[in-house]
Amino acid sequence: MLNSDFLPGYLSQSENIEELPKQSDVVIIGGGLLGTALSYYLAKAGVEVTLLERNDLNREASGTNAGSFHFQIALHQLTENMTEADDKRLVDETKLMLDAAKLWDDIEKELNADLGVHFTGGFMVAETQEELQVLRDKQRIEEAAGLETHVMTGNEMREFAPYMAPDLSGIAFCPREGHANPLLVGPAYAYRAHELGTKIRTNCEVSRIEQITGNPGYRFKVHTNRGTILCNRVVNASGAWTAELSSQLGLNLPMGLSGLHVNVTEPREFFLSSMIQHIGRRLTLKQTANNTFIIGGGWPSREEKFPLRYSNIWESAAGNAAVAVRVLPMLKDVQLVRVWSGVWAYTNDFKPILGESEKIPGYHIAMVPTGFTLGPMVSRMLAEYMTQPGTQNLLPKEFHVDR
Ligand SMILES: Cc1cc2nc3c(=O)[nH]c(=O)nc-3n(C[C@H](O)[C@H](O)[C@H](O)COP(=O)(O)OP(=O)(O)OC[C@H]3O[C@@H](n4cnc5c(N)ncnc54)[C@H](O)[C@@H]3O)c2cc1C
């Protein structure tokens, strides 16, 4: 039973203004979805946690994303000449998505909060015969992994989704896909973590992580604008800034960052309950509960140095809208009313960086590119690793921090 009165929001400032604790078993850097979810799962297992966020909670990627669950295989996961090894990799990656889907099934009950979770399905569309073949190939792999998808063409497609452009070469439909409200999920985790004893300090920027010896029980001194804190274990969950902080310790992470653009339209009568993606072009599209359309899919925004926000680019607004109209022609006279952008961190192989560094014992990283979909699950995996000795096999080798 959900507690409909519970609206996860920012925590009361009364605790936040208290001093930084002098020490903590675990210090988590970053109050996005990964940091807050991890603090919850660790606190639930009885671990002493302090979470440090330089701004407010959930203000970066975790509060600026589109909220989609991406379970179907997407373009970036495919290679030009797919081998048997690629097929196997994709089966594994799809199984991971299915595990994430199971977590999302139960998350509202777990956190006793309405987080806007919906499983109303997702389309992947194709415009050309080559793209249609990709839909068929990926469907075979998804089936092997246990993810239900259906490829439709011609009249079957037009009957199933009459609002789509009738000349698309085909569509894949995945009933399991869906979305949740990104403004609510991270704060709900933080709220519940706080109830379980996690100390959360916002406006607390970590400037340096110092490895120390000679202070029994503590391996790190974390320096912030609000003082220092000793800890045994650090988790860097600082999203797009993960590499910057890690480089101080001599780690060179295989990651990059990019600004992503999102369009929002005026409302129209509700008809689109499923999300739409494109197998060959950059598009994610969905209609929200207040009837507007959110259109994204990886169009870039312009880099600005923190604390400035990434700024929007006209070509991205127009290019993104053009792909949306191509797929859903009825959008052609719908006005764009606003745009936003956020900073997205990715890895070169699109896999998470998750676990403890062998070079720097006690130093952990929690970072994942498809981080709304996978964030809660990888955070729970890391919490299990950190609380149960000998559970290294919970973390796939290809996620390794020192890879
Ligand atoms: C526009 C956009 C759309 C997206 N759409 C989707 C989607 O539909 N589905 C999906 O699965 N994923 C999507 N993503 C990706 C997803 O949002 C991210 O992968 C995920 O939110 C990452 O969470 P995080 O906690 O690692 O990072 P963040 O949410 O960025 O959190 C990191 C936090 O660390 C803090 N921090 C940084 N440096 C310091 C420091 N020195 N000291 C203290 N704190 C620090 C930051 O202030 C920030 O709050 C999208 C991303 C963007 C930008």
Side-chain angles (χ1 to χ4, degrees), residues 11-43:
L11 295 162
S12 135
Q13 287 296 307
S14 58
E15 190 205 81
N16 184 38
I17 56 173
E18 279 183 29
E19 276 190 10
L20 198 61
K22 294 275 170 274
Q23 63 267 318
S24 181
D25 178 1
V26 174
V27 164
I28 297 175
I29 306 168
L33 181 56
L34 271 78
T36 54
L38 178 66
S39 68
Y40 169 78
Y41 290 116
L42 285 175

Side-chain angles (χ1 to χ4, degrees), residues 29-35 52-56 58-68 70 204-206 237-241 245 260-262 340-345 366 368-374:
I29 306 168
L33 181 56
L34 271 78
L52 311 177
E53 163 55 50
R54 73 175 167 198
N55 196 335
D56 274 323
N58 212 50
R59 291 291 296 275
E60 297 293 350
S62 301
T64 55
N65 67 59
S68 312
H70 295 299
C204 185
E205 177 162 13
V206 173
S238 63
W241 298 272
L245 275 178
L260 294 187
H261 172 102
V262 181
W340 85 72
S341 75
V343 185
W344 176 60
V368 52
T370 320
F372 188 68
T373 306
L374 290 175

